[in-house]
């Protein structure tokens, strides 16, 4: 695996587990993992978010996309549903079914 593949795997893992951490705080009211472990996940994701945010700001500033979208929320919802409906055994996909395990997890937006 290349360095970028390893880092993508780490980010995928951190994102997936952070979703679970968030749900724990909403449902249980507390974390089920040690705060240092959760903090490590947050740090990995915050660094990635900062890099992507920097690219967003640069690409908005030079107007390479031709201005804002009319409805980014609707576009995201469409993207989320398309992603949730796909099926594969890709190790990067949170909704992908492991090979031979049957049906993928299907998400539904409210």
């Amino acid at each position: 695996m290349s360095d970028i593949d390893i880092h993508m795997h780490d980010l995928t893992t951190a994102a997936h587990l952070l979703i679970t951490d968030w749900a724990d705080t909403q449902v249980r009211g507390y974390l089920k993992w040690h705060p240092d472990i959760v903090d490590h996940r947050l740090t990995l994701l915050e660094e990635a978010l900062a890099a992507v945010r920097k690219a967003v700001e640069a690409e908005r500033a030079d107007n390479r996309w031709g201005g804002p979208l009319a409805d980014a929320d609707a576009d995201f919802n469409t993207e989320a549903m398309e992603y949730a409906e796909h099926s594969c055994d890709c190790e990067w996909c949170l909704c992908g079914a492991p090979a031979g395990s049957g049906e993928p997890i299907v998400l539904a937006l409210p």
Side-chain angles (χ1 to χ4, degrees), residues 1-68:
M1 263 200 208
S2 70
D3 287 346
I4 191 74
D5 288 335
I6 291 168
H7 198 64
M8 284 177 63
H9 185 269
D10 290 348
L11 290 172
T12 300
T13 302
H16 180 78
L17 292 170
L18 191 66
I19 292 165
T20 302
D21 296 332
W22 172 82
D24 290 339
T25 65
Q26 301 304 299
V27 175
R28 290 183 174 89
Y30 59 88
L31 298 168
K32 67 181 175 191
W33 294 97
H34 191 283
D36 290 349
I37 295 171
V38 176
D39 189 53
H40 180 73
R41 295 175 194 147
L42 287 168
T43 298
L44 286 172
L45 293 170
E46 286 168 344
E47 290 169 354
L49 291 169
V52 174
R53 177 66 63 194
K54 184 176 178 180
V56 165
E57 291 169 0
E59 293 186 21
R60 276 188 178 146
D62 69 16
N63 202 32
R64 74 179 73 177
W65 293 91

Side-chain angles (χ1 to χ4, degrees), residues 12 16 19 75-88 90-97 104-107 109:
T12 300
H16 180 78
I19 292 165
D75 289 344
F76 172 78
N77 288 339
T78 299
E79 186 178 48
M81 289 306 295
E82 288 172 358
Y83 179 76
E85 291 171 356
H86 92 284
S87 162
C88 71
C90 170
E91 65 183 294
W92 309 117
C93 296
L94 298 178
C95 292
I105 297 169
V106 177
L107 304 177
L109 295 175

